[in-house]
Amino acid sequence: MARIAMASATAAVAMLLAFSATAIGSSGKSRCPAAHGASAPHSGTRSFHQSHCPKGHGHRRHHGKPAHLLFFSPHHGHCTDARMQPSASNVAQVRAATLCLVNRERARHGERALHWNIHLVTAAQGHTVSMAFGNYFEHVGPGGQTPLSRMRRDGYIYSSRVGFEVAENIGWGSLWLGTPRAVVAAWMRSAGHRANILDRRFRDTGVGVSPHVNGLAHGQSGGIYTQDFGVLVG
């Protein structure tokens, strides 16, 4: 029987993590929402959710540069490849299935779909690979890289003059708990992760996927995921 997170079970194991913080712009008043976070049974959860509104910037929101990439939504409520276990040959399909499932949840709650942003895809995939081969599961990398610093480095937050709101969910699971369906379902059961997925302000996203979970899953197959969220204000 599959167990979640800390359980010492024999079959499948899964764990979630998110991280949360808020920054207030130089005006001393924030037009951006406060941070949110929560915990869920049998998983380590925090939520990353940070915002910054520079002085003089209004509420006009736009996609990150460039905002022209692929968009995945369910077809008649169905997301292809949602039960696919990640492998070296199907990362793109698993990534697309993950976004499709997230957009299905947003549609069910009356929110608009998220669109790929190449800079967030790069940030999310880079962090996923770092965790997978570095044998750790945290938002902060071994060199101190935070979600925000990665999004800056990879070009999503391209100027100190642009306002932003960003967030990140990470998760991993072994065997069937490493499929997009299982990971997104687990995120939706955790208040902090769910809040990031359903945040109506977000427009852009990137998903990172790796099948290399041996160090975390003690030799079992599975998948490790990062999803970055963002909106730019300017």
Side-chain angles (χ1 to χ4, degrees), residues 90-221:
N90 66 14
V91 166
Q93 292 166 269
V94 172
R95 182 185 288 126
T98 304
L99 178 53
C100 180
L101 290 165
V102 165
N103 278 340
R104 184 171 71 179
E105 295 294 343
R106 288 176 65 88
R108 286 173 174 171
H109 291 82
E111 305 301 341
R112 71 181 71 190
L114 300 173
H115 294 252
W116 285 133
N117 179 278
I118 187 61
H119 303 298
L120 292 182
V121 172
T122 301
Q125 186 63 32
H127 186 56
T128 300
V129 171
S130 176
M131 289 191 292
F133 289 95
N135 194 26
Y136 71 97
F137 184 66
E138 299 288 346
H139 286 282
V140 180
Q145 308 92 335
T146 66
L148 182 58
S149 70
R150 293 191 295 270
M151 293 179 204
R152 289 187 186 278
R153 178 198 64 198
D154 292 318
Y156 182 67
I157 302 171
Y158 57 89
S159 169
S160 61
R161 297 178 62 84
V162 68
F164 61 82
E165 183 175 350
V166 296
E168 180 174 273
N169 287 346
I170 60 177
W172 72 269
S174 66
L175 304 179
W176 65 88
L177 292 179
T179 64
R181 181 176 182 269
V183 169
V184 173
W187 280 341
M188 288 298 293
R189 290 193 296 270
S190 167
H193 299 83
R194 177 186 176 96
N196 286 343
I197 287 171
L198 299 181
D199 193 310
R200 67 185 306 174
R201 292 169 290 270
F202 290 138
R203 301 290 183 267
D204 307 316
T205 195
V207 175
V209 179
S210 175
H212 299 284
V213 294
N214 288 345
L216 296 169
H218 306 291
Q220 292 180 332
S221 62

